[in-house]
Amino acid sequence: MARGDFAAAGLLMNESHASLRDNFEVSCRELDILVDLAQSCKGVAGSRMTGGGFGGCTVTLVRTGDVKGLEAFLQSRYRAVAAKVCEPKPKPKPYCLSLRLRLSLSLSLS
C-alpha cells in the first residue's frame, strides 16, 4: 500500500478471505456473498472479511470514483443473490461507507 500497489494489496486481501473461508472456516454465507460481489465490481482491487469471524464485516479496497457504484451494485445484487437487504449507513469519514444488513452483519468499505 505504501508503494501504491493497490493491485497487489487487493490480491492479498482476496487470498486472505479465501484462506479465512476455506482453511479456518470462520466466514459465513452472507459475508462470502458480499466479498464475491465486491470482487466482481468495477474499481475494486480486493475484498475480505474482517472481525471476529462467523459474521462481522467486509473491508473492500475500491477506487474513490467507484465507491457510489459499488454501493449501488452491492445493494441491488445482494438482495437478488442472498434474498436479504443491504441498507446504507453513513460514516463520518470521506470515502468510507458502511452497509448494514438486516440480520445484524455490517459491511465497511474504505
Side-chain angles (χ1 to χ4, degrees):
M1 293 283 292
R3 293 185 317 237
D5 191 349
F6 296 107
L11 179 62
L12 290 172
M13 290 175 73
N14 294 340
E15 290 174 352
S16 174
H17 182 77
S19 176
L20 290 164
R21 180 192 62 223
D22 301 336
N23 299 327
F24 294 95
E25 299 178 349
V26 294
S27 190
C28 63
R29 178 178 177 268
E30 292 81 5
L31 289 177
D32 292 340
I33 291 169
L34 285 170
V35 167
D36 289 345
L37 289 172
Q39 289 172 345
S40 73
C41 193
K42 176 183 174 256
V44 170
S47 187
R48 58 160 283 175
M49 69 160 285
T50 191
F54 308 107
C57 300
T58 66
V59 176
T60 299
L61 182 60
V62 60
R63 292 181 185 272
T64 301
D66 292 315
V67 170
K68 293 289 185 191
L70 175 63
E71 175 187 358
F73 179 77
L74 289 177
Q75 284 183 276
S76 67
R77 293 299 303 142
Y78 187 83
R79 180 186 296 239
V81 173
K84 294 183 171 98
V85 176
C86 232
E87 296 175 336
K89 183 170 178 73
K91 287 285 200 175
K93 296 178 185 176
Y95 313 119
C96 183
L97 167 73
S98 177
L99 296 176
R100 189 157 311 279
L101 303 178
R102 286 199 178 142
L103 50 83
S104 300
L105 295 175
S106 67
L107 162 72
S108 295
L109 307 172
S110 53

